[in-house]
Amino acid sequence: MSIEVVRLTPEPGQLAYAFGGREPLLTVRPGTVVELSTEDCFGGAVRTVDDLPSRVCAFPYLNPVTGPIAVEGAEPGDAVAVHFVDIRPLRDWAVSTTFPHFGALTATHTTAMLHDALPERVWRYDVDVAKGVCRFHARGGDFQVELPLDPMHGTVGVAPAANEVVMSISPGAHGGNMDTPEMRAGTTAYFPVNVPGALISLGDGHCRQGEGEVCGTAVEAAMSTVVVVDLIKGAAPAWPRLESDDHLMSTGSARPLEDAFRISQHDLVGWTAGLLGLDALDAYQLVSQAGLAPAGNVVDTNYTMVAKLPKTVLGRATAYDGIHARLRATAARYLAER
Amino acid sequence: MSIEVVRLTPEPGQLAYAFGGREPLLTVRPGTVVELSTEDCFGGAVRTVDDLPSRVCAFPYLNPVTGPIAVEGAEPGDAVAVHFVDIRPLRDWAVSTTFPHFGALTATHTTAMLHDALPERVWRYDVDVAKGVCRFHARGGDFQVELPLDPMHGTVGVAPAANEVVMSISPGAHGGNMDTPEMRAGTTAYFPVNVPGALISLGDGHCRQGEGEVCGTAVEAAMSTVVVVDLIKGAAPAWPRLESDDHLMSTGSARPLEDAFRISQHDLVGWTAGLLGLDALDAYQLVSQAGLAPAGNVVDTNYTMVAKLPKTVLGRATAYDGIHARLRATAARYLAER
Amino acid sequence: MSIEVVRLTPEPGQLAYAFGGREPLLTVRPGTVVELSTEDCFGGAVRTVDDLPSRVCAFPYLNPVTGPIAVEGAEPGDAVAVHFVDIRPLRDWAVSTTFPHFGALTATHTTAMLHDALPERVWRYDVDVAKGVCRFHARGGDFQVELPLDPMHGTVGVAPAANEVVMSISPGAHGGNMDTPEMRAGTTAYFPVNVPGALISLGDGHCRQGEGEVCGTAVEAAMSTVVVVDLIKGAAPAWPRLESDDHLMSTGSARPLEDAFRISQHDLVGWTAGLLGLDALDAYQLVSQAGLAPAGNVVDTNYTMVAKLPKTVLGRATAYDGIHARLRATAARYLAER
Amino acid sequence: MSIEVVRLTPEPGQLAYAFGGREPLLTVRPGTVVELSTEDCFGGAVRTVDDLPSRVCAFPYLNPVTGPIAVEGAEPGDAVAVHFVDIRPLRDWAVSTTFPHFGALTATHTTAMLHDALPERVWRYDVDVAKGVCRFHARGGDFQVELPLDPMHGTVGVAPAANEVVMSISPGAHGGNMDTPEMRAGTTAYFPVNVPGALISLGDGHCRQGEGEVCGTAVEAAMSTVVVVDLIKGAAPAWPRLESDDHLMSTGSARPLEDAFRISQHDLVGWTAGLLGLDALDAYQLVSQAGLAPAGNVVDTNYTMVAKLPKTVLGRATAYDGIHARLRATAARYLAER
C-alpha cells in the first residue's frame, strides 16, 4: 500500500492565530503524511537583536499556526493522532527574547506587581542543522556556547470544545501552546476530537527549549515539518497524550502548576490502570514509583506539566492497539522513499 | 593523607523527628566520611500489607532522621557539602502506602474538601540489591513488575534559620523532606549553614521514587548510607543545591508549585551567571534553553522543584572551586579501601 | 431630556453561551436604558429537586446570557459602563445545586483527584420578592431559614480581545462569570472595549450568593433587569471595575487565587494613584490600610477577587468624571417615570 | 464572683519571636482577665520615615510577641478562647513600611523574580485615640487623609503541634500571624491546644489594616490590650476560629490562596453542620449562599482567608455553649469596674 503524501505551505495571509473558529485549509484521510511549513512565533519579524518583539509584532498576531487540517471521519469522541516524522529548521538562524511582562521570573499581567518590566532583549542563535547545534551568543559579554539541536513544536492542537476560539498562545485540553520539548520527531500526540474533522493546527517550532521555557520563549524557528495524521475512533482522551518509543505521557495545562501536575498524573494513572488491568490505587502506586514529571511551560496562560511512564513497566500492553508502532513504520517508509 | 571515617548508628530512642532544636549526636571535621544507618519513614513499623500507617504510626513520630551531625568550623554564612558515596537498602523488603488525606491526587488537610479519604493501602516490595531491582505487587490483582533500584534519601538538611524547629516531613530553605530522586549516590548536596556546626540530619531512604512522589510515599526503606561531609566557608546558597557529574541543580520548596519552580530557576540563573560571568538576562536566556525542570515532590507541606543545568554548558567553570570532583575522589578512595 | 428606553427579551433560541463570536441582538446609543430578561444558569431546566443538572442540562448549553448589546461609537480603547438600575427575580422559586466535579470543596477536572464525585443535589428556594427573602430548605433534614434577597448578576461582560470566543462560564479581563455579589442594583460596572460596539451580554442572575460561591452555584434565578448602558471614550480599564455609592472596586480573575488578588489590588492601586495624584508606592500604602478584599468566586475556570476602596478616602476626586452619579440620576428618573 | 485580673508587661528582653519552644511568662486560671502590652512588629525601632526597617531591624528579631501565657488545665484536644476586651494604641504615632521582597505586589523570596526590590519606604501615621483616627501622609506629595482607627492584633496564637517552633511572622493551624482585621475588641478567638497550658502569645498590633495587608505591613503600633482567657475542654478546632457578636468565622492559612480559602470554608461548613444538625451537603449549600469570604493577609509565609457566617442563620444555636456571650459579659463587668 502506498503512503498518501500531501503538502501544506500556507501563505502569510493564511496563517491562523487561534484554535477554533476557522475552516480547514486541508482535508486528509487518516494515515496521510502531511509535509508542512510553520513560521516562528514572531511571524518571522524578529530577525536581528534590534528587532524588539514589542515593536515589530502586533498583538494578537503572535504565534501563527499552520492549519487547520481536517481529518476525514473524525467526530467528537474520537482521538486524532499526530505523529512527528521530521522537524527541521528552515533558516540558519533562530531567535529568542524576553518580552515585557512575560516569563516565569518576571511580574506579568496576572502575577501583577508594581515593578517595571524587565528589559526586553533579543538573542539570535546560529543554527547548523548539519552539525546538529545552535549557538548561543551572550548579549552582555563575549560568552558563546553550542547547544544541541532538539527540534520540536511548542504549539499543536485541535479546535476546542464548546465552540470556543482560543488564542494560539494558550494551552488547554485541546492542546495548543503546551511548549513541552517532548513534542519532537518520533513522538505521537493524541488529541480529543471536539468538532467534526478535529481541525489540527501546529506551529511555534523550537530548535530546542529547556523544560519550563523559563524566560517565555525558546530558540524560535520556522520549520519544515512532516507529520502523519491518523484517527482512533471512540478513543478521545480527556487531555492531550504523547507517546514515544520509550514513554507514555499525559499532559495537563492549568494554573496553579500543581493543578497541571494533578491533571497529568490523574490521566496517566487512569491510562495505566486501563492498559494493565489495575485498579486505580494500584496504578496510583505504580505511577508514583516509576513515573517522571518534567515541566512543559511555566509561562503561558496555562502552565503545562508532563507525566511520563516508562513503557518497560507495560510488558506487552500497548496504547491504542499499537498505533504508535504503526505510525513509526509509516514514517520509516516515508523517509526511505523520500 | 588517610581518610577519616566515623560511624553513626543511632538507637531508636536517638532518632530525631525535626530539624533544629537538638544537640549533635556526632561532631566531625570537614572531609570526614560518615557511615550511618537510617530507619524508614514509618520508623520500621509498617512491615506487612496489614500494617496500616494510621494505626501503627503515631504523629508526630514519622519520618525519623539520623543526626544531627555537627561540622567543625561551620558558621552561619558558610555552606556544608554532603556527598553521597553509597546508599544501600538494609532489608530485603520495602513498603509504600497511601495515607488518609496525604498525596497529590487526594483531598488533604490543606486542599480541604468534603470527600471521604481515599482508602489506605500498603504495598510491600521485594528488594533484591544484588539484582538491582525491587518488585511491585498489585494489591487488587495479580500484576507484578520489577523496577530498577535507584536508592536515594528523601530527607537531608540542616538546622533552620531563625531558631525554628521544623518537622522532618517539611522541606524548605534548610533542605529537609525535598523528596527528589536526584539525592542518590554520586550527588553532592550543598546547604546553607544557619547555626554553628550546621547540624546535618538525614533519613527517609527510598529504594526508588517517581518524580512528584504522587501518592505521598516512595519505596520506603531503612538504609546503610555513606556520606562525605565538607565545609565551604562563606558560600551559603539561599536554597539547597545539588551537583552530580553531569548537572548543577538548584532546588526550591514552596507552594504553589510555580513558586517552587521560580525559586529553583531563580537560583540556577544566579548560579550560572556567577560561574560564567554572565549578566542576569543572559543567564536567564541560557538556562531557559538548556535547563531541565523535574518535580521533586508535590505532596509535602511544601512542594519541591529541581532546576538542572547540564555541566556541558559550563566549559571549564566549576562550582565551589571543584569540590564535587574532590569529594568524588575521596569517595573512590574510601570505596577502594573499604 | 427624555430617557431612551428599549427592551430586550430574547427567545430561548436567541440566548448566547459565550462572549464573542456573535452579532448584536440590539444596538443602543450611549445613555440608553435597557429593560431585559435573563434565564437562569440552568436555562430554566432545573425546576424541582429531582432535576439533576447533569441530566437535564447539556454541556455547553449552560449559563445562557442575554445579548450581545452593541453600544454605538464604542471602539477598542474605550470603556463601556453598565449601571444596574433594578434586578428582580422573575419567579417565586430559585434553585441551587452541587454539580459533579465543580465547586471549591470537591475534586474538579483541574484539581483532579481519585475521589468519586460528591453527590449531586438540588435545593429549591422559595422566593418572596415582596418580603425580600428567599427560603432555604435542607434536603437531609427539616431545617429551614430565610435569607435576605440581594439580587445580582453573576455574569456580565463584553466580547474578549484577540477575537477569542469564551464560554459564558469563564471570567476574565472581558468580565464574564465573575460571580461577585457586588454586581447588584446601584452598582456601575466598567469594561474595556475590545471590538467595535463592545458587545455587552449578561445573565446568571442570583437571588443572592455568598462570597466565593463555594458550592459552585448561587440561588439561581431568571431575572427582569434594567440597566443603563454608557460609553467613556478612551478610558478602557485593564480589568473590569465596579463603582457603588460607597466604594471603588477593581476585579481580577485568574488562578491561583493570589494572582486574582494581585490583579485586583494592582489595578486598584493604579486607579487610586491616578485619582489622587499619588505615586505608586503612596497609593500602595493607602490601599493596603483602607481597602477590602472579598472573594468573588473560587470555583469557576478563573477565580475572581474584588479589591474595594471606600470612597471616603477620595475627598472630591471622582472616577470617570462622575459618571456613576449621573447614571444614578438617570436611574432615579427612570424609576420615577416607570 | 469577682473577676481575676493579672497584668503582663514584658521587658524588651522577655519578648518572644516564635510560637513554641519557650516557658510561660505567666500562668492563669481559665476566666482570667489579662492586661498586657505589646510592642509593634518592628520592636519599636522604626520611629521616623528615615528608619528603614532593613537597617534598624535585625532578622529574626521581628514581630515580637508577648507571652506565652499558660492556661491552667489546658491539655491537647482542648480549645482555648481569647476574648479581646480592649486594644488601645500606646503612642500617638504608628508606622507602616514597604520592605524589600515582602508584600503582595512585589517579587519575594518565594515568588522569586529577576526584578530589583521595590523601594523601601516608611510612612508615619499620627494616631488620635480620642478622635478615633489615624492620619496618612503621602511621602511623594502633600496628600493626607484620616482613616478610622480599628485596632486589632495581627498575631495571636498558641504553641504549635509536633513540638515545632515557628517564627512569629508565620500563620498556621496554631494561629500566629494571620493578620485579619477581624481580630478586634469584641471578638473571641478559639485555638486548638497542642501542648499543656496552650501557651498563648500575641502581638503585632495594628491601628487598622486593609484586608490582604497588601503592602506587607499595617498601621503598626504598640498596644495596651486586655483579653479574657478561657478554656473549653475537648473542643479543639482544627484551625483557629473567631466569633463576634454578628458572625462565626473560620480561618485557613496556607498557600496557594485557594487552599487557605478551602480550609476556612471546609471548617465553617463542618462547624455549621454541627451547630444546626445539618448533613455536610446541606451545610455546604447554606454557607455557599450566606457566607462572606474576606482575605486576611496575602503576604505572609502562609496566606490567610476568613470564612464568615452571619449568626442570624443559626437561630438559637450557639457555638461552644454560648461562651462568647459569657466572655462579653465578663468584659463588660471588667470595663465597668476598671
Side-chain angles (χ1 to χ4, degrees):
Chain A
M1 191 181 82
S2 76
I3 305 170
E4 190 165 6
V5 180
V6 299
R7 182 175 290 275
L8 177 61
T9 310
E11 297 299 310
Q14 290 179 303
L15 292 170
Y17 298 90
F19 288 88
R22 168 179 263 243
E23 293 302 304
L25 284 188
L26 177 71
T27 298
V28 300
R29 271 190 285 272
T32 302
V33 171
V34 184
E35 299 172 335
L36 55 86
S37 66
T38 62
E39 201 22 291
D40 70 30
C41 73
F42 305 109
V46 177
R47 305 178 74 88
T48 76
V49 296
D50 297 321
D51 294 328
L52 298 186
S54 66
R55 289 200 210 130
V56 302
C57 299
F59 177 84
Y61 300 105
L62 291 169
N63 204 34
V65 284
T66 293
I69 301 168
V71 182
E72 286 184 10
E75 294 293 329
D78 297 340
V80 285
V82 179
H83 177 73
F84 287 89
V85 178
D86 193 34
I87 306 173
R88 191 175 297 260
L90 274 171
R91 300 169 184 140
D92 63 359
W93 56 269
V95 288
S96 187
T97 79
T98 53
F99 192 85
H101 296 114
F102 191 68
L105 300 184
T106 172
T108 68
H109 295 295
T110 48
T111 306
M113 296 181 168
L114 296 174
H115 299 281
D116 292 333
L118 292 180
E120 192 175 2
R121 189 186 274 187
V122 175
W123 291 264
R124 192 178 195 275
Y125 287 75
D126 308 315
V127 176
D128 186 334
V129 172
K131 193 174 169 189
V133 298
C134 57
R135 176 170 286 272
F136 166 76
H137 303 261
R139 291 293 313 280
D142 294 331
F143 181 83
Q144 299 185 16
V145 70
E146 284 183 348
L147 302 175
L149 283 182
D150 185 12
M152 44 149 291
H153 279 280
T155 307
V156 194
V158 295
N163 303 312
E164 285 198 310
V165 177
V166 175
M167 284 189 295
S168 61
I169 61 172
S170 292
H174 69 289
N177 195 25
M178 297 181 285
D179 282 322
T180 164
E182 306 291 351
M183 201 75 82
R184 58 171 66 90
T187 295
T188 306
Y190 306 103
F191 300 94
V193 177
N194 300 302
V195 303
L199 300 183
I200 299 161
S201 300
L202 71 167
D204 192 24
H206 299 161
C207 291
R208 66 170 291 111
Q209 74 159 83
E211 291 170 353
E213 208 188 19
V214 191
C215 79
T217 58
V219 183
E220 308 286 343
M223 293 288 177
S224 171
T225 291
V226 181
V227 295
V228 195
V229 171
D230 213 337
L231 177 64
I232 315 170
K233 294 301 291 182
W239 289 82
R241 291 173 171 177
L242 305 179
E243 183 173 359
S244 68
D245 290 355
D246 296 329
H247 290 92
L248 298 184
M249 292 173 259
S250 293
T251 69
S253 295
R255 291 187 178 198
L257 189 57
E258 56 261 45
D259 274 1
F261 175 86
R262 285 175 177 129
I263 292 167
S264 64
Q265 296 289 335
H266 181 269
D267 187 76
L268 186 60
V269 167
W271 197 5
T272 302
L275 289 173
L276 293 179
L278 299 178
D279 68 26
L281 285 181
D282 279 336
Y284 188 30
Q285 171 63 209
L286 182 56
V287 166
S288 295
Q289 309 316 338
L292 300 173
N297 88 79
V298 193
V299 294
D300 294 323
T301 53
N302 287 309
Y303 304 141
T304 301
M305 289 292 290
V306 178
K308 299 175 67 167
L309 189 75
K311 290 162 82 168
T312 49
V313 305
L314 294 181
R316 276 170 300 191
T318 60
Y320 301 118
D321 207 18
I323 191 171
H324 174 73
R326 292 195 301 279
L327 291 168
R328 285 293 259 168
T330 300
R333 279 173 54 208
Y334 164 82
L335 290 171
E337 293 171 11
R338 180 162 70 171
Chain B
M1 192 183 79
S2 75
I3 305 169
E4 189 164 8
V5 180
V6 298
R7 182 175 289 273
L8 177 61
T9 309
E11 297 298 311
Q14 289 180 304
L15 292 169
Y17 297 89
F19 288 87
R22 170 180 261 243
E23 293 302 303
L25 285 188
L26 176 73
T27 299
V28 300
R29 271 190 285 271
T32 302
V33 170
V34 184
E35 300 170 337
L36 55 86
S37 65
T38 62
E39 201 21 290
D40 70 31
C41 72
F42 305 109
V46 178
R47 305 177 75 87
T48 77
V49 296
D50 297 320
D51 295 328
L52 297 186
S54 66
R55 289 198 211 132
V56 300
C57 299
F59 177 84
Y61 300 104
L62 291 169
N63 205 33
V65 285
T66 294
I69 301 166
V71 182
E72 285 184 10
E75 294 293 331
D78 298 340
V80 284
V82 178
H83 177 74
F84 287 89
V85 179
D86 193 34
I87 306 174
R88 190 174 299 259
L90 273 172
R91 300 169 184 140
D92 63 359
W93 57 268
V95 288
S96 187
T97 79
T98 53
F99 193 86
H101 297 113
F102 191 67
L105 300 184
T106 172
T108 67
H109 295 296
T110 47
T111 307
M113 295 180 169
L114 296 175
H115 299 280
D116 292 333
L118 293 178
E120 192 174 2
R121 189 185 273 187
V122 175
W123 290 264
R124 192 178 195 272
Y125 287 75
D126 306 316
V127 176
D128 186 335
V129 172
K131 194 174 169 188
V133 298
C134 55
R135 175 170 286 271
F136 166 75
H137 302 263
R139 290 294 312 282
D142 293 331
F143 181 83
Q144 298 186 17
V145 70
E146 284 183 349
L147 302 175
L149 283 183
D150 185 11
M152 45 149 290
H153 280 280
T155 307
V156 195
V158 295
N163 303 312
E164 284 198 309
V165 177
V166 175
M167 285 188 296
S168 61
I169 62 173
S170 291
H174 69 289
N177 195 24
M178 295 180 287
D179 282 323
T180 165
E182 306 290 352
M183 201 75 80
R184 59 170 64 91
T187 294
T188 306
Y190 305 103
F191 300 95
V193 177
N194 299 303
V195 303
L199 299 183
I200 299 162
S201 301
L202 72 165
D204 191 24
H206 299 162
C207 291
R208 64 171 291 112
Q209 74 157 85
E211 291 169 354
E213 207 188 19
V214 191
C215 77
T217 58
V219 184
E220 307 286 342
M223 293 288 177
S224 171
T225 292
V226 180
V227 297
V228 194
V229 171
D230 212 338
L231 177 64
I232 315 169
K233 294 301 291 181
W239 289 82
R241 292 173 171 177
L242 305 179
E243 183 173 359
S244 67
D245 291 355
D246 296 329
H247 291 93
L248 297 184
M249 293 172 258
S250 293
T251 69
S253 295
R255 291 187 178 198
L257 189 57
E258 55 261 44
D259 274 2
F261 176 85
R262 286 175 177 127
I263 291 167
S264 65
Q265 296 289 335
H266 182 268
D267 187 77
L268 186 61
V269 166
W271 197 6
T272 302
L275 289 173
L276 294 178
L278 300 177
D279 68 26
L281 285 181
D282 279 337
Y284 188 30
Q285 172 62 209
L286 182 56
V287 167
S288 295
Q289 310 315 338
L292 300 173
N297 89 80
V298 192
V299 294
D300 294 324
T301 54
N302 287 309
Y303 304 141
T304 301
M305 289 293 290
V306 178
K308 299 175 68 167
L309 190 73
K311 289 163 83 168
T312 49
V313 306
L314 293 181
R316 276 171 301 191
T318 60
Y320 301 119
D321 207 18
I323 190 172
H324 173 74
R326 290 197 301 280
L327 291 168
R328 284 294 258 168
T330 301
R333 278 174 54 209
Y334 164 82
L335 290 170
E337 293 172 12
R338 182 162 69 168
Chain C
M1 192 182 78
S2 75
I3 305 170
E4 189 164 9
V5 180
V6 298
R7 182 175 290 272
L8 177 60
T9 309
E11 297 299 310
Q14 289 180 305
L15 292 170
Y17 297 89
F19 288 87
R22 169 179 262 242
E23 292 303 303
L25 285 189
L26 177 72
T27 299
V28 300
R29 271 190 285 272
T32 302
V33 170
V34 184
E35 300 171 335
L36 54 87
S37 66
T38 62
E39 199 24 287
D40 70 31
C41 72
F42 305 108
V46 178
R47 305 178 75 88
T48 76
V49 296
D50 297 321
D51 295 328
L52 297 187
S54 66
R55 289 199 211 130
V56 301
C57 298
F59 178 82
Y61 300 104
L62 291 169
N63 204 33
V65 286
T66 294
I69 302 167
V71 182
E72 285 182 11
E75 294 294 331
D78 298 339
V80 284
V82 179
H83 178 74
F84 287 89
V85 179
D86 192 35
I87 305 174
R88 190 174 299 260
L90 273 170
R91 301 171 182 137
D92 63 0
W93 57 268
V95 288
S96 187
T97 78
T98 53
F99 192 85
H101 297 115
F102 190 68
L105 300 183
T106 172
T108 67
H109 295 296
T110 47
T111 307
M113 295 180 169
L114 296 175
H115 299 280
D116 292 332
L118 293 179
E120 192 174 2
R121 190 185 273 187
V122 176
W123 290 264
R124 193 179 195 272
Y125 286 75
D126 307 315
V127 176
D128 186 334
V129 171
K131 194 173 170 189
V133 298
C134 56
R135 175 171 286 271
F136 166 76
H137 302 262
R139 290 294 312 283
D142 294 331
F143 181 83
Q144 298 186 16
V145 69
E146 284 183 348
L147 302 175
L149 282 183
D150 185 11
M152 44 150 289
H153 279 280
T155 307
V156 196
V158 295
N163 304 311
E164 283 198 309
V165 177
V166 175
M167 285 188 296
S168 61
I169 61 173
S170 291
H174 69 289
N177 195 25
M178 296 180 286
D179 282 322
T180 166
E182 306 290 352
M183 201 75 81
R184 58 171 65 91
T187 295
T188 306
Y190 305 105
F191 300 95
V193 178
N194 299 303
V195 303
L199 299 183
I200 299 161
S201 301
L202 72 166
D204 192 24
H206 299 162
C207 290
R208 66 172 289 112
Q209 75 158 85
E211 290 169 355
E213 207 188 20
V214 191
C215 77
T217 58
V219 183
E220 308 287 342
M223 294 288 178
S224 171
T225 292
V226 181
V227 296
V228 195
V229 171
D230 213 340
L231 178 63
I232 315 170
K233 294 301 291 182
W239 289 82
R241 291 173 172 178
L242 305 179
E243 183 173 0
S244 67
D245 291 355
D246 297 330
H247 291 93
L248 298 184
M249 291 172 260
S250 293
T251 69
S253 295
R255 291 188 179 198
L257 189 58
E258 55 261 45
D259 274 1
F261 175 85
R262 286 176 177 126
I263 291 167
S264 64
Q265 296 289 335
H266 181 269
D267 187 77
L268 186 60
V269 166
W271 197 4
T272 302
L275 290 173
L276 293 179
L278 300 177
D279 67 27
L281 284 181
D282 279 336
Y284 188 30
Q285 171 62 210
L286 182 56
V287 166
S288 295
Q289 309 316 338
L292 300 173
N297 88 79
V298 193
V299 294
D300 294 324
T301 53
N302 287 310
Y303 304 142
T304 301
M305 289 293 290
V306 178
K308 299 176 66 167
L309 190 73
K311 290 162 83 168
T312 49
V313 305
L314 294 181
R316 277 170 300 192
T318 59
Y320 300 118
D321 207 18
I323 191 172
H324 174 74
R326 292 196 301 280
L327 291 168
R328 284 294 258 167
T330 301
R333 278 174 54 208
Y334 164 81
L335 290 171
E337 293 172 11
R338 181 162 70 168
Chain D
M1 191 182 81
S2 77
I3 306 170
E4 189 165 7
V5 180
V6 298
R7 182 175 289 274
L8 178 60
T9 309
E11 297 298 310
Q14 289 179 304
L15 292 170
Y17 297 89
F19 288 87
R22 169 179 262 244
E23 293 301 304
L25 285 188
L26 177 71
T27 300
V28 300
R29 271 189 286 270
T32 302
V33 171
V34 184
E35 300 171 336
L36 54 86
S37 65
T38 62
E39 200 23 290
D40 70 30
C41 72
F42 305 110
V46 177
R47 306 177 73 88
T48 76
V49 296
D50 297 321
D51 294 328
L52 298 186
S54 66
R55 288 200 211 130
V56 301
C57 299
F59 177 83
Y61 300 103
L62 291 169
N63 204 33
V65 286
T66 294
I69 302 167
V71 182
E72 286 183 10
E75 294 293 330
D78 298 339
V80 285
V82 179
H83 177 73
F84 287 89
V85 179
D86 192 35
I87 306 173
R88 190 175 298 261
L90 273 171
R91 302 171 182 136
D92 63 0
W93 56 269
V95 288
S96 187
T97 79
T98 53
F99 192 85
H101 297 113
F102 191 67
L105 300 183
T106 172
T108 68
H109 295 295
T110 48
T111 307
M113 295 181 168
L114 296 173
H115 299 280
D116 291 333
L118 292 180
E120 192 175 2
R121 189 186 273 187
V122 175
W123 292 264
R124 192 179 195 273
Y125 287 75
D126 307 315
V127 176
D128 186 334
V129 172
K131 193 172 169 189
V133 298
C134 56
R135 176 171 285 272
F136 167 76
H137 303 261
R139 291 293 312 282
D142 294 330
F143 180 83
Q144 298 185 16
V145 69
E146 283 182 350
L147 303 174
L149 282 183
D150 184 12
M152 45 149 289
H153 279 280
T155 307
V156 194
V158 295
N163 304 311
E164 284 198 311
V165 177
V166 175
M167 285 188 295
S168 61
I169 60 172
S170 291
H174 69 290
N177 196 24
M178 296 181 286
D179 282 322
T180 165
E182 305 291 351
M183 201 74 81
R184 59 171 65 89
T187 294
T188 306
Y190 306 104
F191 299 95
V193 177
N194 300 303
V195 302
L199 300 183
I200 299 161
S201 300
L202 72 166
D204 192 24
H206 299 161
C207 291
R208 66 170 291 112
Q209 75 159 81
E211 291 170 351
E213 209 188 18
V214 191
C215 78
T217 58
V219 183
E220 308 286 343
M223 293 289 177
S224 171
T225 291
V226 181
V227 295
V228 195
V229 171
D230 213 338
L231 178 64
I232 316 171
K233 293 301 290 182
W239 289 83
R241 292 174 170 176
L242 305 179
E243 183 174 359
S244 68
D245 291 354
D246 296 330
H247 291 92
L248 298 184
M249 292 172 259
S250 293
T251 69
S253 295
R255 293 187 177 197
L257 189 57
E258 56 261 46
D259 273 3
F261 175 85
R262 286 175 178 127
I263 292 167
S264 65
Q265 296 289 335
H266 181 268
D267 187 77
L268 186 60
V269 166
W271 197 5
T272 302
L275 289 173
L276 293 179
L278 300 177
D279 67 26
L281 285 181
D282 278 336
Y284 188 29
Q285 171 63 211
L286 181 56
V287 166
S288 294
Q289 309 316 338
L292 301 173
N297 87 79
V298 193
V299 295
D300 295 324
T301 53
N302 287 309
Y303 303 141
T304 302
M305 289 294 290
V306 178
K308 299 175 68 167
L309 190 74
K311 289 162 83 169
T312 48
V313 306
L314 294 181
R316 277 170 299 190
T318 60
Y320 301 119
D321 207 19
I323 191 172
H324 174 73
R326 291 195 302 278
L327 291 168
R328 285 294 259 167
T330 301
R333 279 173 53 207
Y334 164 81
L335 290 171
E337 293 172 11
R338 180 162 70 170

